[in-house]
Structures are given as C-alpha cells and as structure tokens.
Amino acid sequence: MGIIVGKETKAIVQGITGAQGSFHTKLMLEYGTKVVAGVTPGKGGTTVHGVPVYDTVEEALEKHEANASIIFVPAPYAADAAMEALENGIKTIVIITEHIPIKDSISVMAYACQVGATVIGPNTPGIITPGECKLGIMPAHIFKPGKVGMVSRSGTLTYEIAAGLTKKQLGQSTCIGLGGDPIVGLNFIEVLKLFEKDPQTEAVVLIGEIGGNLEELTAEYIVKEKYPKPVVAFIAGRSAPPGKRMGHAGAIIMGRAGTAETKIEAFKKAGVEVAEKPSDVAAMLEKILNDKLAR
Amino acid sequence: MGIIVGKETKAIVQGITGAQGSFHTKLMLEYGTKVVAGVTPGKGGTTVHGVPVYDTVEEALEKHEANASIIFVPAPYAADAAMEALENGIKTIVIITEHIPIKDSISVMAYACQVGATVIGPNTPGIITPGECKLGIMPAHIFKPGKVGMVSRSGTLTYEIAAGLTKKQLGQSTCIGLGGDPIVGLNFIEVLKLFEKDPQTEAVVLIGEIGGNLEELTAEYIVKEKYPKPVVAFIAGRSAPPGKRMGHAGAIIMGRAGTAETKIEAFKKAGVEVAEKPSDVAAMLEKILNDKLAR
Amino acid sequence: MKLLEYEAKRILAKYGIPIPRGGLAANIAEAREIAQTLKPPLVVKAQVPVAGRGKAGGILFAESVDDVEKAVNKLFNMQIRGIPVRSVWIEEKVNAKRELYFGMTVDRLNKTYVMIGSTEGGMEIEEVAEKAPQKILKFPVDPLYGFRLYHARQMAKRMGYSGNQLSAIANIFYNLYRAGVDYDAELIEMNPLAETPEGNFVAMDARIIVDDNALFRHPEFKERPLEGEFSPQEVEAAKNDLAYVKLDGDIGVIGNGAGLVMATLDAIQLYGGKPANFLDVGGGAPSEKIAAALRIVLSDSNVKALFINILGGITRCDEVARGILKAREKLGIEKPMVIRLVGTNEEEGKRILTEAGIQVLDSMEEAARQVVEVARRL
Amino acid sequence: MKLLEYEAKRILAKYGIPIPRGGLAANIAEAREIAQTLKPPLVVKAQVPVAGRGKAGGILFAESVDDVEKAVNKLFNMQIRGIPVRSVWIEEKVNAKRELYFGMTVDRLNKTYVMIGSTEGGMEIEEVAEKAPQKILKFPVDPLYGFRLYHARQMAKRMGYSGNQLSAIANIFYNLYRAGVDYDAELIEMNPLAETPEGNFVAMDARIIVDDNALFRHPEFKERPLEGEFSPQEVEAAKNDLAYVKLDGDIGVIGNGAGLVMATLDAIQLYGGKPANFLDVGGGAPSEKIAAALRIVLSDSNVKALFINILGGITRCDEVARGILKAREKLGIEKPMVIRLVGTNEEEGKRILTEAGIQVLDSMEEAARQVVEVARRL
C-alpha cells in the first residue's frame, strides 16, 4: 500500500541518458522499481542499464505499458518533457529537475490539472513507498516499510528525518518531497487527504520551511477537517534573518506570514506537535504511536 | 421554436455605443429581441436606446439576467470581448465584427469549446428565429416564420435567398450566418444536427462558397448519417478563376478541393439538390415540400 | 499579405532555421557585389509574389559572377505572370539529397493551426497531396498549449528521422511554428526543405502569407509597397479597404459581401456576360467607400457597363445611394449603370436614387440579365 | 535578479506605461546635463537594489540644477544598507493626488500569477496588507488564457474607476502584466502608481525581480554586473551557481538542500553558536563546486570553524569528499572542519576522507554540537 506509487507502478525515465538520469535509473532498478523504458530525443534505439531508450514518449508507450514518469531533463526543456508525458496520458509525474522557470511550471500545472494528473515537484527528491517502489533520487537505505507517512518541502531534510525514524524502527508508508520551488504540483493538503485514505498510514510527518503560507493553510485545513491521524511537524528556518534570501525563491520571507514562527504557531494551534530539531521527530512519533497502541 | 435563439433569449450587446452597435441595437429592439444591457468600457452609466450600458460584462450580469451576447467591438478588441462574455458564463455568442485576426479567433474557439458555449461568427450577419428573436444585423423584413432552416457562409447571399423564400411564402425556422472567416464557431454539420432535432424545421437550405472543404465534409456527413430532412444547396463562386483571391481568406482556392465544382459534385453525390442560381432555391424547395405533403 | 522569398527567408533565419548564404540585389552592380561574396554554383531567383515562379523561368543558375550578371539581366527584362521583376535573390546552390516539405496553415475544421510535413517535397507537392495523400503528414496544433518541440519530434520520427537528425529537423519544425505564430501567418512553408548529402537541413525556398487582419500588430509591413505585386486598381482598393480582383470581362461589378459578389459574377456568366472584376465593399460601407469603389472599377478601360448589387444588412442603402451620386457627380460617369438595391434603409436609398433619375431594380437576376444585355449592345 | 528602479521604469515605458520624464547619471556632469532638460521640481533617487531606500535617505528633492548637484554629491557619498550608490535617476517630481499600488507576483496556492491592486499604495503598503487586507485586491491569473484587458477593467472597476480613467488605468494594469510575463518576473510592481490632480496615472516607482531560473531566456541581463548589489562572496557564489547568504556569526556552513542548510543553521543556533553564512551547494554538486563553496566560505575572515553537512541523494558523497580534499590542498585550509556525510555513495566518501585523515560524523546534531564547541574554544 502507501500512496501514489507502489508495486503496480511502471515507470518511464525521461532524460535517461544524462548522468543523473542514468545513475538513478540504476539505483531505482536495484531498488526494484519497474522502469520499463527511457526517453531521450536522438538517443532512440540505445539502452541504459538494460532499459530500452526511445526518442519520444509516444513511441515508448507504443512498445511498453507505463503509468508514471520521472523526469531528469535539463531545466530549459523539463517543462516540455512533462507536457509530453501528460499529453501521452501518463498520470503520475515526478520532476526531479531543479531551476525550471516559474512561468514554465505554471503551464505544466495547469495542463496537469486539466487532464487530472498528479505532478510531484519540480525540484523534488521524488517519492518512495519503501519496499515497493522508489521514483526518485533519495538514498534508499535510509527508508524502510512501515506506517508513518512523510511529506516535505525539503529534500535532504527529509532524508535526515527519515533516517531518524528508521533508526528507531519507525518505518514509512510513503515519503514524498513536494519540491522546493514556488510552483509545485502536489501540496501538503492534497497529500494529507491521500494519507487519510491509506490504511497503512497511521501517522504523518510534515516537514515545512520558511516562505509562502502553505503550512499556515495546511494547519487551517487540519483544524477545519478535524484531520483524524496524528501529525508531527518540523519547520526549518527558525534562525533565518527576515528579508534574506535562502537558496531559492521558496525561502523568501514575505511579510509577517511565512516566518518559522507563524508556521509553528499555526500548527501548534491546530494541535499538531512541532519538533524543535530533526532528531526530536522520531521520539515524538514513537510516543504518539505507543500511546495510540495503549489506548 | 427554431434553434439557438428564440423567445427565451436575453441578450447583451458588447460595443453598444459604437455606430453599428447602437444602430443595430435599435433595430433588434424594434424586432422584439430582448436586449437587457450593453457593455462599452468607459461608457458605463449611460444608456443607448433605453438600454443601460456597463463598463464590464461582469457588472452587466450582476444587474441583469442574460444568456446571449452580440459583439460589435472593433476587430483588435473583439476576441477579448468574446472571451469576457464566455468567462462570465454566456453560452451563446454572436460575433458580428469582421477582420479579426485568425490567431485571436483560434483562442476564442478553444475557450468556447472548453466551456461548452456556442459561437456564431466572426464576420457573420448573425442569427434570426423569425418572429421570435433577431441577434444580428440582417434586414428583418425579408424573413418570416416558417419551416425552412437556413445556414450559410455568406451574409448578403443569405438575405438574397431568404427574400426569395419569403416571397414564395416559404418562411424560415431559423437562419444562421456561419461567418466568412477561415475560423468560425458553428459549422454546417453542427447546425444540421440542431435542425434535425428541431420539430419546426422541415427542410434545410445550405449556402456555401468556394474555399476550404467544409462543404465536402458536410456532404460526407449527410451520406454517412442518412440525414433525414431534405437539403437544398447553393454554392457561390462557379465563375471564380482558380488561384485568385476573392475578398477574404475564406475564398482562397486550395488545390482541387475547395472549388465550386468539387462542392457541387459532393452534394449531388450525397443526394442534395444544388441550385444553379439563388432564385432557384425557393422553387426547388417549394417542390420538395409539396411532394412531401403529397406523400 | 504575401511576403517575398527573401523576406520569408530572413524571418526563418531570425528563428534559427538554416537558409543558403545569399543576398538581395535590385541592380546589376549589387548583384555582382553579392555574387563575389558567395561560393559558386549560385542560384539567381526573381523576387515576385507568385507561385510557380520556377516553371515560369524565374530561377536561373550561375557558375560565375559574369553568369550572375547575365541571369540578372535576363530576369530584369522578364515579367512573371504579368509581374515585372524588380529584385533578385542570389544564393549558393544547395545540393539536395532529398527534398522535403514542411509548413503551417489554418485548419478550418479543427479551428486551429495545422502543421504539414512530407518527405516528398518540391515542385510536385500538390500532386503528391492529391495522388498520394498518405505521404502528407498533418498535425493539428493544440490551440491552448501550441505546437511543442516534442510534437515536432513526433512528426520528425514519423517522417523517418532519428539520432542527431531528429533533433536538428525537429528544431526547424518547431522554429517554423514559432515564426508562423509570431508573424500571424496564414501560411508559412519551406518547399523544398533540403536534406544535404551530409545529412544537414536547409530551407531552399520559403513562403509566408501574413494574415491581413493582423497587420495592425506588424507595423514593419505597414510601409511595404504594394506596387509590382498588384495592379494599380488592386493597390487603390487595398488603400480604401476594399477587396478587388481584376478579371478579364467587360462588366464592372460592385457588391457587398464576398458571397453575394461571387453569386453576382456567377449570374452574369450564366446569362452569357463576362465580369471585369470582383469588388466587395464589405459590411457597413459609408458613402465615400462606395464612391472609391466606383472610381476603381471605372478606371479599368475594359469596363463597358456597371452592375451595382447591394443587399443591405450592416450596409445601409441610403449610404450606398449617396456614394453613387457623389461618384457620378465627381467622376462624370457616363457608362450605363444597373443598380439593384434592397435591405436596410432601402426606401431612403431608392428615394435618393430615383429623385436623381437613376432606376433601381429589386431582383439580382433580373439586374444581371439587364446588364449583360446593355453591355452586349455597346 | 533584482533590477534597479531605472531599469524597471525603462521596461515599463517600453510597454506604454507612463513614467516621469527623467534620466540616469553616473557622475555630476551627467546629472547636470540631465537636470537641464527637465522641469523642476526634481527628484534625485539613488539606484540601489534594496527596499526602504526612501526611509534610508536615498531619495532627495531639488528645485534647480545646483540643487541636483548637491543631492547627487550627497548620494554618491552614501551607503544604503551597506551598498554604495553608483548611479542616480533624476526625474520630474510627480504631483500625486492619490498613491495606488499595482503589481504581479506568484500565487503558490493557485499555482499561477496573481495581480495585486490597492488604492492605498505608497510606503505603508505592507502595513495596509496586514491591518486592512480588505483594501488589497487580489486577482489570480488564469494560467491558460492569461490576464486580459477585461480582467484589468474588472480590477479597475472594483478599485472605483470609471469613464476615461477606467480605460487608462486598465491599460496600465494589462501592460504591467505583459511586461511581467515577457520578462519572467517573479515580482513586478508600481508603488506608488500616482493619480495626478488632472486624473492621469504615472508610475512613480517601479520594481522588477526577474526569475533567476529564466535568465537563460533573457541574455540582455547576462552581462549585468552583480557587484554593488551583492557582497564579493555572493558574487562569487552566483558565478559558481551556489546559493550563499552572508550572516553575522563565526561558523561557516556548507550543506546540500536549502531545507537541510536552514535546519543546520537552526541547530547551530540551538546549541548556542552563530552561523557565519548560509551556503547551499544544491543537488548533484560535482567536486569542483564543493571546492568553490569552501573557498567562498573561508574568504569571510569572521569564520573560525567550518561545518559541512551533506546528506547525499542526487549529491554523491564521494564527489563531496574529493571536493573537500581538492580545496584543502589548494587553499591550505587550517581552520577546523566538522564534517557530516551520509547518503548516496556514503562508504566511498567516508573512505576517501578517512584515508586523508579527516574524521566524519553521522549525526547532524552531534556535528552541530561539536562545531559550536570547537568555535567557542578558539
């Protein structure tokens, strides 16, 4: 089980012949992900780690059945690659590429919405349902199957916290990196809805950061919908000075909303436990799940 | 009865304060068309022939109920006016304006298709359901209620033939000018489908012209669907020399397809009677309807 | 508006599409100068806005600068379909292993643009389209998201290209689309698009027709001279926003609406007459426009008689009547006129003309019969 | 990339938005020359890419050319938020009856652009947004069909305009959107947009931030000097495609991923330390980039100790390890380093560093604690 990807996922890799695409195709295959084909324009007819490569998505899908795509295409062409996958009927798209222009991402999300597809990213480590399917670039060994759902705006910070969970034998149902860009496909609220319906998921870890107000809106959602599963949050950027730009637009502080303080405050008000440092998450979760068991 | 417009039509006029918009608003009101409001940016608060004018469609619809719009806005702004009407939920749009760039019309038609609206035109005389509603610029006195549906790519030629019908006491259910541009909303086939379902319509007059291949495709449709109502066609441009441009892009002859000969041949093959001159249409139709009565 | 080959090629080059090295010359001196900078063999091409230029002898080959001079001399003394050659484009001859076709035009049925490709391009493309339509690849463009690079690759793939050629030709297709949309093209095409023995692609010939209705967005074409491309009457008509086409008969025709004017020509021909022109005054013409229409039609000396056929919708009959009187007064028209006038403000229009002693008919076919009769008697 | 006021204003003017008459001066002579062509009263504005320039004294008024000279002298001897003034924009003072706000930015929730307007613009717009949000009009843009003139009119209408003013201000809104989209703006705004006593509109101040990720589409900004806007370290970081922000502590920080680096800073602060910088090497950094990161962080003389926190996903630990060794060798680094390295190719990375005698930790928090301890002891 888990959400979005699992044993039934059959993926194509767009940009498979590039250094990152090829490297992570190997790792995904090793993990057991069903990678059925690759696409790189002009490289049709070759293979990468045994995976046949095609010039177009259309052609790949004529020869293979697939229901997901992971994109490693360079930023100027990545949005186009996503559109190609969407137009050809692929309903789950993971965009690893970073530095995609905002304008391009806006088009991709509008198209995805129109055709009813799920986009994860861009600028994301991807998604993993441990033991079933990894559609991403996360180091697999830090994850193990279990009952904690994870959703995060930050890549490496997710690994940090996932590693902590795994060390305490708290496995994960599915871990999703939403992506660090201002415009991304899936958001916290949509993922919370999916985790709610997933029987395997018993608790959720939510990793936010400064910038934007999606964490605040998520807190509102949790209150309003009386979200039934326990949520533990961590927010990065407590020490960030206001107005300074931290790495990408996703971290611009906009007015008073968007600071770590407003986000932490909003979650606490919503009854969500907020961890002070990454390693606290596992401990807090352990307690919550034990208490739940005791009840 | 009739199709698309009738007693229930409540229209706004976009571009109502211009010379054409104002003149034809008067004529439409005199005909009995329910014109509930006008829109001209910057002229909000005035009135034209007693019709209140607003700056935006949004505002007009806050104050009045309307389900149709007729557009007299100058060409560079006309597509935008159509989008405004569509976005505000109006489902029947008649675009009188001519000389709208093809690129703009393409956008309008895509949007209309997405929201499920009917666009008549651009570059059309509009639509009239005699005795009920005139949403257009046609001289009203040449039409009278009856059982002949008319659909045409040409404006004035429609009046010519309608006048001939009326003189012979053959009234019309609804007359539609599709518009003379390469890109128009409604096409022959869509109108034939509507006439098929309209109990008032007993026969159809179809007026085509050289250029494009919509007449040929319509003939195919008539054959394939065994179109149940009698159709009489007239095609303008028999005497046109090949390759010459006759007034607008709609009349460029493209290869062998698109000449008067190919269109006439296609219709004859489909069992459609084709008139040699405009005045023949009424005579042919009279005979068909009398034969039908006799049977 | 039909652009000339060199204009179309310069636009293509601006969008990164390879074109042969070349230059434009309006006289011998310029031609020699350009030829000196190029590597023979060369091609000298008459710049006229008509199709079938090659078959009409408008394209010549040259091995040297002197050859170029001879070719240019020949072309400058030539008319192609009645159009004098005023400039030539001189370019390096492309060695084509294969001649492809690629273009974009308007897809009426799907209400969008359509991309068209074929591996059997060249002068016979129309024949291919008719006899072997399966060799023509048509790709309608999504009106919301446009023609994207991957669509271009899909087409290239279906046309049999792969490897480095796939990306090269897909980029050309994609850039042609971009140029077409940016320039509001009704038609933009490369025919032939050459594939060289080395496997590269070069646009050997190019054609662009800009949507006349979108010219307001392209002020760069505003001052483009129409002379040479059109007859004096056509130029005058364009200036007055009238649609005029010269034909070879003797009955001048003025009407409102392309369909009605075409049906008017058909009727004249049906009764054995020969129309001298097509002239559509369009919708809602004011009296000045009617007067201009009369002036243009009468400036053709072949015209023996005039047929004015107006069925008023957005056009008002009273305006038309005033325009006729204005023109008659100013031009001192003596040639016989047959006038048919019905529709919006019909009574007022008829009153104006009748008071001025001009007879007005109600039936277009009766009027057509009369004008044919009048012209025959002259 | 933050554009300067004069750059933003010139873009606005190109899109037909009225701006005050003015010119750019880099020295007194230029300033006098420009001032002579303008009608006083004038405004002299320091061109620095920071907000709050007015409150910091960067905007001066002048009634004469001599006044302008004085103002320019003053500004050229001034630093605004640590940035020296290198050029000034001199313009005619606008008499504003009312100060509006209008801008466009990115709407994360709706995944599109959003247009923002307010009739209470000016320096206090942020306060208005917080205290009276109902006075701020937000209009999300349809991602497929864009922000159209009629949307601009709807906004203008809601902001209380009608008649001739409606069209005038709607055109400004619409053109601002067009400029924003064409220039890939993350933010484009006019604040204030002045309404004059005559009822006209003029953009008194303008700001544009271009999406850094879209700069490849805007080669005109490629050669734009970054000096003056950023510290030397920030300039160097930008050149190496690294995200660097200078802070005021003494522990140099390098990590991969903005979130992880932020959490690293948070952890250092939690244990009582003070980070000297934020430096994110991004995903998949090769060893050269790691070496560049070390060079940049160490060029800040405040740095006492270094904390490298890498959790490899797309980034490979072996590449990081090689980069560290490369930089150590080249720079002769002597300052203490605490390294935490786990994830993709972790074993290989650890082996490389261990063999070179560098200790590697597994826990980020343990590492943070150690580096704070180390820095405190120095």
Side-chain angles (χ1 to χ4, degrees), chain A residues 64-139:
Chain A
H64 305 272
E65 242 180 71
N67 50 22
S69 176
I70 178 164
I71 294 176
F72 292 94
V73 171
Y77 311 105
D80 216 48
M83 303 287 268
E84 184 178 1
L86 289 167
E87 186 174 312
N88 283 282
I90 291 183
K91 296 290 186 216
T92 297
I93 308 224
V94 176
I95 309 176
I96 304 297
T97 309
E98 55 177 351
H99 298 312
I100 298 180
I102 292 171
K103 194 159 72 180
D104 299 4
S105 294
I106 288 176
S107 287
V108 171
M109 301 317 157
Y111 195 12
C113 172
Q114 209 176 31
V115 298
T118 298
V119 176
I120 298 174
N123 191 9
T124 173
I127 177 170
I128 183 168
T129 296
E132 296 191 24
C133 175
K134 166 179 138 170
L135 214 59
I137 58 170
M138 55 287 276

Side-chain angles (χ1 to χ4, degrees), chain A residues 7-14 16 25 28-29 32-39 46-54 57 59-70 90 133-135:
Chain A
K7 288 205 172 71
E8 70 297 341
T9 301
K10 288 177 189 160
I12 62 169
V13 177
Q14 291 178 261
I16 193 170
T25 295
M28 285 190 284
L29 287 168
T33 303
K34 296 181 190 81
V35 177
V36 298
V39 175
T46 61
T47 63
V48 170
H49 304 301
V51 176
V53 179
Y54 299 89
V57 173
E59 216 193 339
L61 296 187
E62 275 164 16
K63 309 278 170 59
H64 305 272
E65 242 180 71
N67 50 22
S69 176
I70 178 164
I90 291 183
C133 175
K134 166 179 138 170
L135 214 59

Side-chain angles (χ1 to χ4, degrees), chain C residues 24-198:
Chain C
L24 185 76
N27 55 51
I28 300 286
E30 281 176 16
R32 290 191 69 97
E33 199 175 309
I34 288 161
Q36 270 152 10
T37 67
L38 302 175
K39 212 180 109 200
L42 302 177
V43 194
V44 185
K45 304 164 94 175
Q47 297 300 293
V48 284
V50 293
R53 170 187 59 166
K55 288 182 183 165
I59 298 178
L60 301 173
F61 297 90
E63 292 293 333
S64 66
V65 175
D66 289 341
D67 267 14
V68 167
E69 178 166 344
K70 270 179 238 156
V72 172
N73 256 324
K74 199 165 168 187
L75 292 174
F76 278 172
N77 287 310
M78 195 184 254
Q79 287 207 348
I80 296 177
R81 297 221 185 152
I83 295 179
V85 179
R86 302 233 164 112
S87 61
V88 295
W89 174 255
I90 306 164
E91 67 183 14
E92 294 178 358
K93 187 166 178 275
V94 175
N95 189 0
K97 186 177 80 179
R98 200 180 189 189
E99 294 193 345
L100 315 174
Y101 173 92
F102 198 84
M104 173 181 111
T105 185
V106 176
D107 181 342
R108 287 154 182 258
L109 185 67
N110 293 308
K111 298 169 193 172
T112 180
Y113 294 110
V114 59
M115 310 308 294
I116 301 169
S118 176
T119 51
E120 309 217 351
M123 293 216 257
E124 271 70 43
I125 183 70
E126 273 154 41
E127 218 166 285
V128 174
E130 202 180 323
K131 294 194 183 144
Q134 77 284 356
K135 289 184 176 164
I136 307 269
L137 189 62
K138 290 182 188 167
F139 197 106
V141 175
D142 182 312
L144 291 182
Y145 297 95
F147 183 73
R148 295 184 160 252
L149 200 43
Y150 63 87
H151 295 128
R153 287 194 294 260
Q154 286 177 8
M155 289 189 79
K157 194 79 210 171
R158 288 181 209 166
M159 285 164 73
Y161 289 98
S162 60
N164 290 338
Q165 280 194 313
L166 178 87
S167 297
I169 199 170
N171 273 315
I172 291 173
F173 292 174
Y174 175 63
N175 288 327
L176 190 86
Y177 165 78
R178 289 200 306 124
V181 170
D182 288 354
Y183 278 89
D184 275 290
E186 257 176 50
L187 173 79
I188 179 167
E189 64 182 13
M190 305 175 282
N191 187 30
L193 170 66
E195 183 180 346
T196 68
E198 299 78 33

